[in-house]
Amino acid sequence: MGEINGVVAGKQCYPAAAMEMEVSAELGHTAGSKLYDDDGRLKRTGTMWTASAHIITAVIGSGVLSLGWAIAQLGWVAGPAVMLLFSILTYYTSALLADCYRSGDESTGKRNYTYMDAVNANLSGIKVQVCGFLQYANIVGVAIGYTIAASISMLAIKRANCFHVKGHGDPCNISSTPYMIIFGVVEIFFSQIPDFDQISWLSMLAAVMSFTYSTIGLGLGIVQVVANKGVQGSLTGISIGVVTPIDKVWRSLQAFGDIAFAYSYSLILIEIQDTIRAPPPSEAKVMRRATVVSVAVTTLFYMLCGCMGYAAFGDNAPGNLLTGFGFYEPFWLLDIANAAIVIHLIGAYQVYCQPLFAFVEKWAQQRWSKSWYITKDIDVPLSFSSSGAGRCYKVNLFRLTWRSAFVVVTTVVSMLLPFFNDVVGLLGALGFWPLTVYFPVEMYIVQKRIPKWSTRWVCLQLLSLACLIITVASATGSVAGIMSDLKVYKPFATAY
């Protein structure tokens, strides 16, 4: 590459941070106040709005499109009520977790950079290992779920065009496998973004895309309701007779899991909070505001899209509003919506996976600190100024190979399990109680020194127990759905 000790083709090559330091020195600023926070790391620049964008990117994912189906299982009474309940619960437990970013004083205490760091600082023993396993296993599951969802949306673009040309009677069966491979190749490229702080632009773009496809889905639902000359659905959801009593139970439980997954982001909350600029105000206060904004916006969109999907199709609401072909026309609008879903999921995949990437790379550097392959960065020049100095992108061989391998593995697993609704429900159920409720509650009790058996302690434990029951029931429903799907599925051969 023509690189010798940072000199490329006779020109000096600097990483971006080094150039900023040089500019700072020229302006007479001290490095400590200008470039670094109190922990010695580069100054964080995140705000309430960037944190909100990260949350919205992570939360308003493909789950929004399954909410019409979820409400169809529960009905007009229980559906919106459950959705509102989960939104309140998500905000409350997120506020508890935000208070655990710093140990001790919320403005000057020691920072916990990751969810696991926070658990390690407040809890001990086997709980730390269990938390780490659940968090990172859930991230792997989310990556698989998003790969499935993105491939289905790409597939839907092809099928919408097929239906438009050949008519709605043509089955237009197409395999999802090539589209999973395309998504995987794109994610290999974006996974080379080094850390959370450098994907704000991708989160902003993804958040805009989420509003785009949600709005299109909402608009199409309204048009369908007008065309139907009335609202579909019933107070209690899909009727027994249309499905068997046992299927009604399994579907209702799975709907709980879908809604739980639609709000789940606690497993990356601490990592998002670690991008917020230093106090004042404290990161916890900023994060609570960002949580209010993002959960309120999310709930509004969920209510509108979920309820309108059910109002438009009633018991026949598809598992994915824009890809289940409740709508056929205008096909070009469906194409735009599904393209927006794919772009959003590219960003959401990165937002979710960054904590896992960082954990593995930190562990590898500690385990093999003298390995050139693990620790060495190779400068790749990006641009040069008239003075001969230029910006570089630092390529780390371990990061390149490990992240690429991760994307390849999740893509292959996605090809084996393309059951969108059931996978979404299972992921929501497995991650909901431990990561969204149990660990935040336990850490908050320790952090605030809440006395055992006090009224507040008992209320928090009852909340945790109730959510555990919901988690077990939802997971059971989703597993039953996956078992049913496996009876008719052939690996790498299933077409939609």
Side-chain angles (χ1 to χ4, degrees):
M1 280 186 284
E3 185 260 338
I4 305 173
N5 296 327
V7 178
V8 181
K11 297 181 184 245
Q12 196 69 23
C13 185
Y14 297 101
M19 294 190 72
E20 289 169 12
M21 188 179 294
E22 198 170 69
V23 171
S24 177
E26 289 173 3
L27 294 175
H29 298 304
T30 62
S33 62
K34 182 67 178 175
L35 286 174
Y36 298 97
D37 277 331
D38 55 3
D39 59 348
R41 296 196 177 189
L42 282 173
K43 192 169 283 292
R44 296 159 177 84
T45 58
T47 64
M48 182 194 80
W49 298 111
T50 60
S52 296
H54 284 316
I55 294 170
I56 290 170
T57 298
V59 174
I60 302 184
S62 51
V64 68
L65 301 171
S66 69
L67 293 178
W69 180 90
I71 293 179
Q73 312 314 309
L74 300 171
W76 280 117
V77 176
V82 168
M83 207 176 293
L84 190 60
L85 174 66
F86 275 106
S87 70
I88 295 170
L89 189 60
T90 298
Y91 166 72
Y92 181 69
T93 56
S94 296
L96 299 184
L97 187 56
D99 284 339
C100 299
Y101 172 64
R102 286 183 184 263
S103 298
D105 188 89
E106 69 173 22
S107 296
T108 59
K110 181 182 178 296
R111 296 174 189 264
N112 298 306
Y113 302 113
T114 66
Y115 194 112
M116 258 190 84
D117 286 346
V119 173
N120 200 27
N122 291 284
L123 306 175
S124 60
I126 192 66
K127 289 182 180 178
V128 179
Q129 284 74 38
V130 170
C131 169
F133 173 78
L134 288 173
Q135 183 191 10
Y136 299 128
N138 205 261
I139 288 173
V140 173
V142 168
I144 293 167
Y146 281 176
T147 303
I148 294 170
S151 70
I152 290 173
S153 288
M154 286 188 276
L155 192 76
I157 295 174
K158 183 77 173 176
R159 293 188 72 202
N161 296 340
C162 173
F163 287 134
H164 179 72
V165 173
K166 298 182 179 180
H168 303 168
D170 194 294
C172 289
N173 288 331
I174 305 167
S175 172
S176 62
T177 299
Y179 299 96
M180 291 184 185
I181 294 172
I182 291 170
F183 184 78
V185 170
V186 173
E187 289 300 350
I188 287 175
F189 175 76
F190 279 105
S191 69
Q192 300 311 309
I193 298 174
D195 55 48
F196 228 131
D197 219 25
Q198 297 177 38
I199 61 172
S200 292
W201 65 272
L202 189 59
S203 281
M204 293 287 189
L205 175 62
V208 170
M209 291 298 105
S210 69
F211 289 127
T212 299
Y213 67 71
S214 298
T215 303
I216 291 173
L218 174 62
L220 290 172
I222 292 171
V223 170
Q224 187 68 35
V225 169
V226 172
N228 293 341
K229 297 181 179 178
V231 172
Q232 304 288 308
S234 65
L235 294 178
T236 57
I238 192 166
S239 307
I240 293 175
V242 177
V243 295
T244 64
I246 191 65
D247 279 344
K248 170 72 173 176
V249 172
W250 291 139
R251 283 167 169 248
S252 297
L253 294 177
Q254 188 185 332
F256 270 83
D258 281 8
I259 295 172
F261 178 74
Y263 279 105
S264 177
Y265 74 96
S266 295
L267 72 167
I268 57 170
L269 183 144
I270 296 290
E271 284 81 353
I272 293 173
Q273 194 167 342
D274 192 45
T275 67
I276 296 172
R277 64 167 62 112
S282 71
E283 297 93 347
K285 287 181 180 176
V286 175
M287 197 64 190
R288 283 195 291 269
R289 291 176 197 156
T291 300
V292 169
V293 170
S294 53
V295 171
V297 169
T298 299
T299 301
L300 176 63
F301 267 83
Y302 282 2
M303 285 289 189
L304 290 173
C305 293
C307 293
M308 198 52 64
Y310 185 41
F313 297 104
D315 290 351
N316 296 318
N320 187 314
L321 195 59
L322 293 174
T323 63
F325 290 94
F327 301 108
Y328 289 93
E329 300 290 344
F331 79 98
W332 56 268
L333 190 60
L334 288 173
D335 289 354
I336 292 172
N338 281 300
I341 293 173
V342 174
I343 295 170
H344 172 264
L345 290 173
I346 289 170
Y349 187 104
Q350 292 305 317
V351 168
Y352 262 102
C353 291
Q354 281 295 335
L356 177 59
F357 292 159
F359 169 75
V360 171
E361 285 154 22
K362 181 180 177 182
W363 172 81
Q365 286 179 354
Q366 292 173 344
R367 180 69 177 81
W368 298 286
S369 59
K370 295 181 180 179
S371 169
W372 180 90
Y373 171 70
I374 301 290
T375 60
K376 179 70 174 178
D377 289 334
I378 300 171
D379 290 329
V380 177
L382 299 178
S383 63
F384 288 102
S385 65
S386 56
S387 64
R391 287 179 178 266
C392 299
Y393 174 73
K394 288 187 172 293
V395 174
N396 179 281
L397 291 178
F398 177 69
R399 182 175 68 221
L400 177 66
T401 51
W402 129 249
R403 294 190 183 192
S404 299
F406 173 84
V407 174
V408 169
V409 170
T410 55
T411 302
V412 171
V413 174
S414 301
M415 294 175 193
L416 293 169
L417 295 171
F419 320 126
F420 179 66
N421 262 26
D422 297 318
V423 170
V424 162
L426 185 58
L427 290 176
L430 293 179
F432 174 69
W433 176 71
L435 298 172
T436 302
V437 181
Y438 175 74
F439 284 115
V441 164
E442 292 298 308
M443 286 191 288
Y444 183 78
I445 287 172
V446 172
Q447 181 100 328
K448 300 300 181 183
R449 296 183 173 88
I450 298 172
K452 201 169 187 178
W453 301 111
S454 65
T455 302
R456 196 174 187 188
W457 184 91
V458 170
C459 289
L460 287 169
Q461 296 298 340
L462 287 174
L463 171 68
S464 183
L465 179 61
C467 292
L468 173 60
I469 293 169
I470 292 172
T471 288
V472 172
S474 300
T476 304
S478 296
V479 169
I482 290 174
M483 295 302 291
S484 176
D485 289 332
L486 285 171
K487 293 176 182 177
V488 295
Y489 171 67
K490 294 180 181 178
F492 301 107
T494 297
Y496 292 84

